[in-house]
Amino acid sequence: MNRLKTFSYFYLFLVLLLAQNFANEPVSYKGRFRPTDTYAKQWLYEIYHKDTLKNEHLQAFQAQTPSALDFVWQLHFFGHKKWEQAPLFWIRQAELKKLLGLNPQQNHFSYQTLHDKIYNDQEINLALMRKLLTTVYGQNLKAPGNRSGKTTLELAPLAPGVWVSHRNHQLTIIESPNSPPWQYLKPGMVIATDIPTANKSLLDEAQSLLSTLSQFAALEGGDLTQESAMQNAYIDLLAKQLAPKEIALNLDQQFPLRSRLQQAGQLLKVLPSRNSPGEWYSLHALHSQIFDPETKQLKLSNNFTAYPDELFYKIRNTYFAWEEAVINGQTEGNQAQEMTRLLYEGYSHIAGKPYKEAAGKQLIYPTAGQLRAESFYTSYPLIIMCIALYAAALLCLLIGWTLEKGLLAATGVIILLCAFAFHTGLLGLRIFILGRAPVSNMFETILYVPWVAVLAGLALRLKYKNPVILIASALASLALLVLLYITHLDNALENVQAVLDSQYWLIIHVLMVVGSYGVFLLCGILGHIYLIGRGIQRKETPGLEFIAKFILQTMYIGVILLVPGTILGGVWAAESWGRFWDWDPKESWAFISICVYLIWIHAYRFHKIGHVGLAIGAVSGFLTISFTWYGVNYILGTGLHSYGFGNGGEGWYYSYLVAEILFLVGVSWRILKQMTPSNT
């Protein structure tokens, strides 16, 4: 334990040492405070599906470098109009491209193209609206909140004020907003004669596209609508010759300072509020004005940040000089570096300090070390490096085992230990940055599960001196990490959702249940190795018998983790939702998984099956685990465990299911042909 702590501290020290030169002034984005460079990469990736601009797009973006941060700063200063023709928006779904009349071979499209298709082309607009309205209506009709079976529903997930009714086999518009993109929908319009099966992936991508288009159009640059409106109102009030106090009262009522600060810009919120803890404002807010009754003039607002007054005025003056230089196309000098320094200096006054407290919990600003660690984490291909280490370990272990090369096998063990240490460091970094266990979303669980598989393999290797367990654990980790890389799952570092916001239960319940997936994954890999070996060898060898022993041990360990983990989840559900068990899809499939493994274990212990049956149980059992893990969240997408829902990857999953079924059928048929009655 002391060695583990020493390694953890050394690894963290090394990371922080390497990260000293990374940008670390924070930006508020999606409820978290993250480094500026990390924020820019994430913002661009969510729209463009790349965290840097593609080289072939640089000219269209009028960019000198592919840097996400440079592009975000340009958007901040100039607004969106300059890039309306740039291919910024990424669309994955072929069906959505077809609906919008887009080139199916193309993935990136400009704002102007999409705006013309969705907002100006009535035929395309109505085709998209029909698809969205029928899908959301079908979901709302079957939702738990509609137990009375109402057929006239407001489709609030799409937009407030969209009312649809289903009567006489017709889905009809009752009411809709007049604002785009709903302007072509009219009361009484029949949009469908049936309610098709929901395409969740299409719905999610279409809604996300509409949202990002709207947000992009709202990027005004330095043209602050609220400030301009206030100046016009001020001129009108002066013309009416009102008393200064009346002018001040009118302006405060029509244009509250806090509202103007909030609407000053959505990009690069780097200024923490003094009076509203946790609320941050864009640098455009530095242009906000207030009315001075003494001079009867508008003047720049006083310090509204959590930083000292003197520092605030330095930040404002430096920003104004930098902004002027950028807009006029002049050389920026050192203003950008000076802004970074001043913002970091300001943040040092609040770093690591709580800004909100409720129900015995504190919300704390990240420390400078956490910001540097996050910037480091997002700046290197750490997953690829981990994959390379596991691949090298697997190669050495396989060759060393098959050719009986002891030195090569020993080298494989050393590389595997290095890969495991590196993998541990990845998880440790996420824990350090986020301050919680790394198991709150699909990306994190796919990162954690192979780590558990390797940990279980190393632990069993200490007891049983057989290299196969290390080969299986390296293969398990390599397979999942490669899957994580090629599927491009969202790897953003985010706060845990409210329903999971309990360090105690997150560690006790979620780590146990998800940890069992890692052990069952190892069990399944061993099952594959046994069945392949049994099919090739035509009989059970001592080596295969030893693998069967590993299968049984891992099955035991997995059940020991899954059963109490699931029961503790019921206790947490009783605490959070007021009931212990309700046959929620996630609960139901956890129960099914437990039953499947218990059936195979009992069948083996009571001599109803042999080692072949046990290996088949290991492979088929992981099919149920995979559906509990992925299928409930990404395919069913229903139930109270909505914090894990997502979309995408269905093709990969169905291919996996088909491949496993074909494997089991093929290998079972081959072994049955070979087996004599004495082997059954």
Side-chain angles (χ1 to χ4, degrees):
M1 181 61 72
N2 288 332
R3 288 182 180 179
L4 181 60
K5 284 185 177 179
T6 302
F7 169 77
S8 301
Y9 290 137
F10 173 75
Y11 185 89
L12 183 58
F13 171 75
L14 182 62
V15 167
L16 293 179
L17 186 65
L18 290 171
Q20 284 297 316
N21 294 324
F22 284 91
N24 46 36
E25 69 278 9
V27 175
S28 175
Y29 184 61
K30 292 189 172 181
R32 275 196 70 237
F33 309 101
R34 54 195 92 208
T36 311
D37 56 346
T38 300
Y39 151 76
K41 291 174 186 175
Q42 182 177 343
W43 184 90
L44 183 63
Y45 187 88
E46 289 171 356
I47 301 175
Y48 186 67
H49 206 61
K50 297 281 184 183
D51 58 12
T52 59
L53 299 176
K54 298 173 75 172
N55 288 331
E56 59 265 33
H57 289 164
L58 289 182
Q59 185 174 356
F61 280 92
Q62 305 173 50
Q64 300 294 322
T65 71
S67 166
L69 185 56
D70 288 349
F71 176 59
V72 170
W73 274 117
Q74 290 292 305
L75 275 174
H76 167 82
F77 284 124
F78 295 103
H80 76 280
K81 291 184 179 180
K82 189 176 177 181
W83 292 277
E84 287 186 349
Q85 302 292 341
L88 177 61
F89 297 88
W90 183 79
I91 298 178
R92 178 178 67 91
Q93 288 272 337
E95 186 178 354
L96 181 57
K97 295 177 192 177
K98 183 178 179 181
L99 270 175
L100 299 180
L102 300 171
N103 183 354
Q105 304 302 318
Q106 191 176 333
N107 292 323
H108 290 92
F109 303 92
S110 71
Y111 170 82
Q112 192 63 59
T113 297
L114 295 173
H115 184 273
D116 289 345
K117 296 285 187 182
I118 296 172
Y119 294 91
N120 297 336
D121 190 313
Q122 183 173 352
E123 183 179 350
I124 290 177
N125 175 282
L126 288 176
L128 178 63
M129 292 303 112
R130 286 189 179 98
K131 181 66 71 171
L132 293 180
L133 291 169
T134 53
T135 301
V136 175
Y137 181 84
Q139 289 182 339
N140 286 11
L141 191 66
K142 300 173 184 177
N146 189 34
R147 292 182 179 177
S148 60
K150 293 179 181 178
T151 57
T152 299
L153 302 171
E154 181 183 19
L155 307 186
L158 281 178
V162 178
W163 286 87
V164 179
S165 180
H166 187 242
R167 293 176 184 173
N168 301 323
H169 304 289
Q170 291 185 331
L171 200 60
T172 307
I173 298 293
I174 302 299
E175 185 180 347
S176 71
N178 292 321
S179 58
W182 319 102
Q183 74 271 26
Y184 298 118
L185 298 175
K186 304 300 179 186
M189 178 184 289
V190 177
I191 57 173
T193 55
D194 62 349
I195 304 173
T197 303
N199 184 337
K200 187 172 182 295
S201 296
L202 174 65
L203 174 65
D204 289 347
E205 186 167 8
Q207 286 185 284
S208 176
L209 178 62
L210 291 175
S211 175
T212 52
L213 287 172
S214 176
Q215 291 169 16
F216 182 74
L219 299 178
E220 300 176 322
D223 299 329
L224 304 181
T225 304
Q226 285 287 301
E227 291 302 315
S228 298
M230 179 180 167
Q231 290 172 9
N232 291 333
Y234 160 71
I235 294 171
D236 291 341
L237 291 170
L238 274 183
K240 294 178 181 178
Q241 298 184 344
L242 298 178
K245 288 185 178 180
E246 290 183 82
I247 295 176
L249 182 62
N250 270 276
L251 291 176
D252 286 343
Q253 288 177 343
Q254 292 183 61
F255 307 98
L257 177 61
R258 184 184 176 189
S259 175
R260 287 185 285 121
L261 293 174
Q262 291 171 335
Q263 297 177 43
Q266 297 305 309
L267 294 177
L268 295 160
K269 294 186 175 183
V270 296
L271 301 173
S273 171
R274 170 172 289 184
N275 300 317
S276 304
E279 187 170 283
W280 287 44
Y281 308 124
S282 166
L283 285 166
H284 286 309
L286 294 171
H287 287 284
S288 297
Q289 295 181 306
I290 58 174
F291 177 72
D292 184 355
E294 293 184 3
T295 63
K296 297 184 180 181
Q297 299 289 323
L298 292 177
K299 67 173 186 177
L300 291 172
S301 63
N302 298 322
N303 183 10
F304 53 80
T305 72
Y307 301 155
D309 290 349
E310 183 180 356
L311 182 59
F312 169 79
Y313 296 123
K314 283 184 181 178
I315 289 173
R316 184 159 67 188
N317 292 336
T318 303
Y319 174 70
F320 284 173
W322 182 27
E323 182 182 49
E324 183 179 2
V326 171
I327 292 175
N328 293 330
Q330 300 169 355
T331 303
E332 298 176 23
N334 65 346
Q335 287 116 335
Q337 292 80 3
E338 180 65 8
M339 274 298 300
T340 298
R341 187 191 70 78
L342 291 172
L343 289 171
Y344 178 67
E345 181 185 341
Y347 185 71
S348 65
H349 289 86
I350 59 176
K353 295 180 180 179
Y355 60 91
K356 275 187 183 179
E357 186 171 357
K361 295 181 181 179
Q362 286 185 331
L363 295 177
I364 301 173
Y365 285 125
T367 64
Q370 286 174 305
L371 292 171
R372 283 195 292 268
E374 183 171 351
S375 188
F376 171 84
Y377 179 88
T378 57
S379 296
Y380 291 105
L382 301 180
I383 298 292
I384 296 177
M385 294 163 70
C386 200
I387 288 172
L389 285 170
Y390 277 121
L394 178 62
L395 186 63
C396 290
L397 286 168
L398 269 175
I399 296 174
W401 179 52
T402 53
L403 301 181
E404 297 184 355
K405 301 288 185 180
L407 181 60
L408 196 57
T411 302
V413 173
I414 292 171
I415 297 175
L416 181 63
L417 289 171
C418 291
F420 181 70
F422 192 87
H423 197 164
T424 304
L426 278 180
L427 293 170
L429 263 179
R430 292 188 77 98
I431 293 169
F432 174 68
I433 293 166
L434 296 170
R436 60 166 174 80
V439 285
S440 69
N441 55 50
M442 184 58 75
F443 177 91
E444 290 181 345
T445 59
I446 295 181
L447 190 61
Y448 172 67
V449 164
W451 181 84
V452 174
V454 178
L455 178 64
L458 291 171
L460 288 171
R461 177 64 177 81
L462 291 175
K463 185 176 181 181
Y464 305 103
K465 308 300 181 182
N466 190 307
V468 175
I469 192 68
L470 295 184
I471 293 172
S473 60
L475 180 59
S477 193
L478 181 63
L480 274 192
L481 290 179
V482 168
L483 180 68
L484 188 67
Y485 175 71
I486 63 178
T487 53
H488 300 289
L489 272 176
D490 183 9
N491 66 348
L493 295 142
E494 301 296 350
N495 288 331
V496 68
Q497 295 194 38
V499 70
L500 293 174
D501 193 12
S502 168
Q503 289 288 0
Y504 175 77
W505 288 114
L506 193 62
I507 293 171
I508 298 297
H509 163 60
V510 182
L511 284 184
M512 285 183 71
V513 171
V514 179
S516 74
Y517 300 170
V519 181
F520 286 133
L521 172 64
L522 180 59
C523 181
I525 296 289
L526 289 167
H528 282 85
I529 294 173
Y530 179 91
L531 291 172
I532 293 170
R534 184 68 175 76
I536 294 172
Q537 297 287 344
R538 298 177 177 271
K539 63 179 181 178
E540 185 169 76
T541 63
L544 291 176
E545 189 175 350
F546 214 86
I547 293 173
K549 190 174 184 179
F550 281 145
I551 292 173
L552 186 61
Q553 293 298 320
T554 51
M555 208 174 279
Y556 283 156
I557 296 170
V559 170
I560 288 170
L561 289 171
L562 183 58
V563 172
T566 302
I567 293 171
L568 288 170
V571 177
W572 189 8
E575 182 182 293
S576 299
W577 298 326
R579 92 290 186 278
F580 177 81
W581 196 270
D582 197 32
W583 295 107
D584 178 86
K586 182 68 85 172
E587 297 165 351
S588 300
W589 275 93
F591 178 75
I592 291 170
S593 299
I594 291 169
C595 289
V596 167
Y597 279 104
L598 287 178
I599 288 170
W600 287 112
I601 289 172
H602 281 77
Y604 177 78
R605 297 303 298 178
F606 285 94
H607 307 292
K608 301 300 181 183
I609 59 172
H611 289 159
V612 172
L614 190 66
I616 291 173
V619 176
S620 61
F622 194 73
L623 293 178
T624 62
I625 288 293
S626 70
F627 197 83
T628 306
W629 184 14
Y630 168 85
V632 171
N633 290 351
Y634 280 67
I635 296 176
L636 297 183
T638 59
L640 289 173
H641 291 74
S642 58
Y643 48 83
F645 291 175
N647 64 76
E650 293 91 341
W652 290 97
Y653 184 68
Y654 294 141
S655 299
Y656 158 72
L657 292 181
V658 171
E660 287 290 60
I661 292 170
L662 291 176
F663 170 79
L664 287 174
V665 170
V667 78
S668 299
W669 176 78
R670 180 175 176 82
I671 292 172
L672 281 173
K673 283 185 65 177
Q674 300 168 355
M675 292 178 69
T676 63
S678 60
N679 297 126
T680 55

mmCIF file of all heavy atoms in Angstrom, residues 225-251:
data_model
loop_
_atom_site.group_PDB
_atom_site.id
_atom_site.type_symbol
_atom_site.label_atom_id
_atom_site.label_comp_id
_atom_site.label_asym_id
_atom_site.label_seq_id
_atom_site.Cartn_x
_atom_site.Cartn_y
_atom_site.Cartn_z
ATOM 1 N N THR A 225 -25.931 43.670 -28.380
ATOM 2 C CA THR A 225 -27.301 44.136 -28.624
ATOM 3 C C THR A 225 -27.874 44.853 -27.413
ATOM 4 O O THR A 225 -28.493 45.926 -27.537
ATOM 5 C CB THR A 225 -28.199 42.940 -28.993
ATOM 6 O OG1 THR A 225 -27.630 42.265 -30.114
ATOM 7 C CG2 THR A 225 -29.596 43.409 -29.338
ATOM 8 N N GLN A 226 -27.691 44.279 -26.241
ATOM 9 C CA GLN A 226 -28.264 44.865 -25.023
ATOM 10 C C GLN A 226 -27.640 46.220 -24.709
ATOM 11 O O GLN A 226 -28.340 47.156 -24.311
ATOM 12 C CB GLN A 226 -28.061 43.906 -23.849
ATOM 13 C CG GLN A 226 -28.981 42.701 -23.844
ATOM 14 C CD GLN A 226 -30.403 43.099 -23.472
ATOM 15 O OE1 GLN A 226 -30.659 43.644 -22.405
ATOM 16 N NE2 GLN A 226 -31.331 42.832 -24.377
ATOM 17 N N GLU A 227 -26.326 46.334 -24.905
ATOM 18 C CA GLU A 227 -25.668 47.611 -24.628
ATOM 19 C C GLU A 227 -26.135 48.682 -25.610
ATOM 20 O O GLU A 227 -26.356 49.842 -25.236
ATOM 21 C CB GLU A 227 -24.143 47.441 -24.703
ATOM 22 C CG GLU A 227 -23.553 46.602 -23.589
ATOM 23 C CD GLU A 227 -23.851 47.148 -22.204
ATOM 24 O OE1 GLU A 227 -23.714 48.371 -21.988
ATOM 25 O OE2 GLU A 227 -24.244 46.343 -21.323
ATOM 26 N N SER A 228 -26.302 48.318 -26.866
ATOM 27 C CA SER A 228 -26.782 49.280 -27.872
ATOM 28 C C SER A 228 -28.208 49.730 -27.550
ATOM 29 O O SER A 228 -28.543 50.924 -27.654
ATOM 30 C CB SER A 228 -26.750 48.643 -29.261
ATOM 31 O OG SER A 228 -25.436 48.300 -29.618
ATOM 32 N N ALA A 229 -29.044 48.779 -27.140
ATOM 33 C CA ALA A 229 -30.431 49.112 -26.789
ATOM 34 C C ALA A 229 -30.469 50.038 -25.580
ATOM 35 O O ALA A 229 -31.282 50.979 -25.522
ATOM 36 C CB ALA A 229 -31.218 47.837 -26.503
ATOM 37 N N MET A 230 -29.572 49.812 -24.625
ATOM 38 C CA MET A 230 -29.532 50.665 -23.436
ATOM 39 C C MET A 230 -29.098 52.088 -23.808
ATOM 40 O O MET A 230 -29.645 53.077 -23.288
ATOM 41 C CB MET A 230 -28.579 50.065 -22.408
ATOM 42 C CG MET A 230 -28.454 50.893 -21.133
ATOM 43 S SD MET A 230 -27.340 50.149 -19.951
ATOM 44 C CE MET A 230 -27.122 51.507 -18.806
ATOM 45 N N GLN A 231 -28.127 52.198 -24.687
ATOM 46 C CA GLN A 231 -27.671 53.531 -25.106
ATOM 47 C C GLN A 231 -28.793 54.295 -25.816
ATOM 48 O O GLN A 231 -28.970 55.505 -25.595
ATOM 49 C CB GLN A 231 -26.454 53.388 -26.025
ATOM 50 C CG GLN A 231 -25.199 52.922 -25.300
ATOM 51 C CD GLN A 231 -24.059 52.609 -26.258
ATOM 52 O OE1 GLN A 231 -24.144 52.891 -27.453
ATOM 53 N NE2 GLN A 231 -23.000 52.009 -25.734
ATOM 54 N N ASN A 232 -29.565 53.593 -26.642
ATOM 55 C CA ASN A 232 -30.692 54.247 -27.319
ATOM 56 C C ASN A 232 -31.761 54.679 -26.316
ATOM 57 O O ASN A 232 -32.338 55.774 -26.431
ATOM 58 C CB ASN A 232 -31.306 53.295 -28.350
ATOM 59 C CG ASN A 232 -30.367 53.041 -29.527
ATOM 60 O OD1 ASN A 232 -29.529 53.883 -29.849
ATOM 61 N ND2 ASN A 232 -30.500 51.878 -30.152
ATOM 62 N N ALA A 233 -32.022 53.802 -25.343
ATOM 63 C CA ALA A 233 -33.004 54.150 -24.306
ATOM 64 C C ALA A 233 -32.527 55.342 -23.495
ATOM 65 O O ALA A 233 -33.327 56.224 -23.124
ATOM 66 C CB ALA A 233 -33.243 52.946 -23.393
ATOM 67 N N TYR A 234 -31.230 55.407 -23.222
ATOM 68 C CA TYR A 234 -30.647 56.522 -22.470
ATOM 69 C C TYR A 234 -30.840 57.839 -23.227
ATOM 70 O O TYR A 234 -31.227 58.862 -22.638
ATOM 71 C CB TYR A 234 -29.160 56.232 -22.232
ATOM 72 C CG TYR A 234 -28.330 57.445 -21.900
ATOM 73 C CD1 TYR A 234 -28.449 58.089 -20.671
ATOM 74 C CD2 TYR A 234 -27.416 57.947 -22.830
ATOM 75 C CE1 TYR A 234 -27.671 59.213 -20.386
ATOM 76 C CE2 TYR A 234 -26.640 59.051 -22.547
ATOM 77 C CZ TYR A 234 -26.778 59.684 -21.332
ATOM 78 O OH TYR A 234 -26.022 60.787 -21.047
ATOM 79 N N ILE A 235 -30.619 57.820 -24.516
ATOM 80 C CA ILE A 235 -30.795 59.030 -25.332
ATOM 81 C C ILE A 235 -32.260 59.477 -25.303
ATOM 82 O O ILE A 235 -32.565 60.681 -25.173
ATOM 83 C CB ILE A 235 -30.324 58.768 -26.775
ATOM 84 C CG1 ILE A 235 -28.811 58.532 -26.800
ATOM 85 C CG2 ILE A 235 -30.705 59.920 -27.691
ATOM 86 C CD1 ILE A 235 -28.283 58.054 -28.145
ATOM 87 N N ASP A 236 -33.187 58.523 -25.396
ATOM 88 C CA ASP A 236 -34.618 58.858 -25.364
ATOM 89 C C ASP A 236 -35.014 59.448 -24.014
ATOM 90 O O ASP A 236 -35.801 60.415 -23.947
ATOM 91 C CB ASP A 236 -35.455 57.604 -25.630
ATOM 92 C CG ASP A 236 -35.315 57.121 -27.067
ATOM 93 O OD1 ASP A 236 -34.888 57.918 -27.926
ATOM 94 O OD2 ASP A 236 -35.625 55.929 -27.327
ATOM 95 N N LEU A 237 -34.481 58.870 -22.947
ATOM 96 C CA LEU A 237 -34.814 59.364 -21.606
ATOM 97 C C LEU A 237 -34.256 60.765 -21.386
ATOM 98 O O LEU A 237 -34.899 61.610 -20.744
ATOM 99 C CB LEU A 237 -34.281 58.399 -20.545
ATOM 100 C CG LEU A 237 -34.978 57.030 -20.479
ATOM 101 C CD1 LEU A 237 -34.220 56.081 -19.564
ATOM 102 C CD2 LEU A 237 -36.422 57.179 -19.988
ATOM 103 N N LEU A 238 -33.053 61.018 -21.912
ATOM 104 C CA LEU A 238 -32.481 62.365 -21.802
ATOM 105 C C LEU A 238 -33.345 63.379 -22.543
ATOM 106 O O LEU A 238 -33.562 64.505 -22.073
ATOM 107 C CB LEU A 238 -31.061 62.382 -22.388
ATOM 108 C CG LEU A 238 -29.895 61.981 -21.484
ATOM 109 C CD1 LEU A 238 -28.575 62.140 -22.239
ATOM 110 C CD2 LEU A 238 -29.860 62.827 -20.205
ATOM 111 N N ALA A 239 -33.850 62.966 -23.693
ATOM 112 C CA ALA A 239 -34.677 63.864 -24.499
ATOM 113 C C ALA A 239 -35.963 64.235 -23.776
ATOM 114 O O ALA A 239 -36.534 65.313 -24.011
ATOM 115 C CB ALA A 239 -34.992 63.218 -25.850
ATOM 116 N N LYS A 240 -36.414 63.365 -22.886
ATOM 117 C CA LYS A 240 -37.636 63.639 -22.121
ATOM 118 C C LYS A 240 -37.363 64.525 -20.907
ATOM 119 O O LYS A 240 -38.286 64.872 -20.169
ATOM 120 C CB LYS A 240 -38.264 62.331 -21.658
ATOM 121 C CG LYS A 240 -38.779 61.462 -22.801
ATOM 122 C CD LYS A 240 -39.348 60.139 -22.282
ATOM 123 C CE LYS A 240 -39.837 59.282 -23.429
ATOM 124 N NZ LYS A 240 -40.363 57.964 -22.961
ATOM 125 N N GLN A 241 -36.065 64.855 -20.703
ATOM 126 C CA GLN A 241 -35.647 65.745 -19.614
ATOM 127 C C GLN A 241 -36.109 65.227 -18.245
ATOM 128 O O GLN A 241 -36.579 65.981 -17.400
ATOM 129 C CB GLN A 241 -36.173 67.163 -19.859
ATOM 130 C CG GLN A 241 -35.625 67.786 -21.139
ATOM 131 C CD GLN A 241 -36.083 69.237 -21.322
ATOM 132 O OE1 GLN A 241 -37.032 69.691 -20.670
ATOM 133 N NE2 GLN A 241 -35.407 69.966 -22.193
ATOM 134 N N LEU A 242 -35.950 63.932 -18.047
ATOM 135 C CA LEU A 242 -36.272 63.328 -16.753
ATOM 136 C C LEU A 242 -35.165 63.609 -15.762
ATOM 137 O O LEU A 242 -34.010 63.874 -16.123
ATOM 138 C CB LEU A 242 -36.463 61.815 -16.904
ATOM 139 C CG LEU A 242 -37.612 61.341 -17.810
ATOM 140 C CD1 LEU A 242 -37.621 59.821 -17.883
ATOM 141 C CD2 LEU A 242 -38.949 61.853 -17.290
ATOM 142 N N ALA A 243 -35.526 63.532 -14.478
ATOM 143 C CA ALA A 243 -34.542 63.715 -13.415
ATOM 144 C C ALA A 243 -33.548 62.553 -13.450
ATOM 145 O O ALA A 243 -33.897 61.438 -13.856
ATOM 146 C CB ALA A 243 -35.237 63.766 -12.060
ATOM 147 N N PRO A 244 -32.294 62.777 -13.030
ATOM 148 C CA PRO A 244 -31.277 61.713 -13.043
ATOM 149 C C PRO A 244 -31.726 60.434 -12.332
ATOM 150 O O PRO A 244 -31.457 59.330 -12.802
ATOM 151 C CB PRO A 244 -30.087 62.357 -12.344
ATOM 152 C CG PRO A 244 -30.248 63.815 -12.604
ATOM 153 C CD PRO A 244 -31.724 64.069 -12.595
ATOM 154 N N LYS A 245 -32.418 60.602 -11.184
ATOM 155 C CA LYS A 245 -32.860 59.408 -10.451
ATOM 156 C C LYS A 245 -33.876 58.612 -11.263
ATOM 157 O O LYS A 245 -33.875 57.375 -11.241
ATOM 158 C CB LYS A 245 -33.455 59.812 -9.107
ATOM 159 C CG LYS A 245 -32.423 60.290 -8.090
ATOM 160 C CD LYS A 245 -33.064 60.560 -6.740
ATOM 161 C CE LYS A 245 -32.018 60.998 -5.719
ATOM 162 N NZ LYS A 245 -32.629 61.264 -4.387
ATOM 163 N N GLU A 246 -34.759 59.325 -11.984
ATOM 164 C CA GLU A 246 -35.753 58.627 -12.812
ATOM 165 C C GLU A 246 -35.083 57.907 -13.986
ATOM 166 O O GLU A 246 -35.470 56.786 -14.350
ATOM 167 C CB GLU A 246 -36.781 59.630 -13.342
ATOM 168 C CG GLU A 246 -37.706 60.193 -12.277
ATOM 169 C CD GLU A 246 -38.747 61.123 -12.896
ATOM 170 O OE1 GLU A 246 -39.759 60.597 -13.408
ATOM 171 O OE2 GLU A 246 -38.516 62.347 -12.884
ATOM 172 N N ILE A 247 -34.084 58.568 -14.573
ATOM 173 C CA ILE A 247 -33.350 57.925 -15.666
ATOM 174 C C ILE A 247 -32.671 56.652 -15.168
ATOM 175 O O ILE A 247 -32.744 55.592 -15.798
ATOM 176 C CB ILE A 247 -32.310 58.893 -16.272
ATOM 177 C CG1 ILE A 247 -33.018 60.080 -16.941
ATOM 178 C CG2 ILE A 247 -31.404 58.165 -17.270
ATOM 179 C CD1 ILE A 247 -32.067 61.135 -17.476
ATOM 180 N N ALA A 248 -32.006 56.758 -14.008
ATOM 181 C CA ALA A 248 -31.311 55.600 -13.428
ATOM 182 C C ALA A 248 -32.293 54.466 -13.150
ATOM 183 O O ALA A 248 -32.010 53.295 -13.445
ATOM 184 C CB ALA A 248 -30.585 56.009 -12.151
ATOM 185 N N LEU A 249 -33.475 54.821 -12.578
ATOM 186 C CA LEU A 249 -34.478 53.805 -12.241
ATOM 187 C C LEU A 249 -35.001 53.125 -13.507
ATOM 188 O O LEU A 249 -35.133 51.897 -13.556
ATOM 189 C CB LEU A 249 -35.629 54.452 -11.471
ATOM 190 C CG LEU A 249 -36.737 53.502 -11.005
ATOM 191 C CD1 LEU A 249 -36.179 52.458 -10.044
ATOM 192 C CD2 LEU A 249 -37.859 54.291 -10.324
ATOM 193 N N ASN A 250 -35.295 53.916 -14.532
ATOM 194 C CA ASN A 250 -35.799 53.354 -15.793
ATOM 195 C C ASN A 250 -34.788 52.414 -16.445
ATOM 196 O O ASN A 250 -35.126 51.315 -16.897
ATOM 197 C CB ASN A 250 -36.137 54.490 -16.773
ATOM 198 C CG ASN A 250 -37.572 54.967 -16.636
ATOM 199 O OD1 ASN A 250 -38.485 54.391 -17.216
ATOM 200 N ND2 ASN A 250 -37.759 56.029 -15.856
ATOM 201 N N LEU A 251 -33.532 52.853 -16.482
ATOM 202 C CA LEU A 251 -32.504 52.017 -17.107
ATOM 203 C C LEU A 251 -32.269 50.732 -16.324
ATOM 204 O O LEU A 251 -32.074 49.657 -16.912
ATOM 205 C CB LEU A 251 -31.195 52.810 -17.240
ATOM 206 C CG LEU A 251 -31.211 53.964 -18.247
ATOM 207 C CD1 LEU A 251 -29.900 54.730 -18.218
ATOM 208 C CD2 LEU A 251 -31.477 53.434 -19.666
#
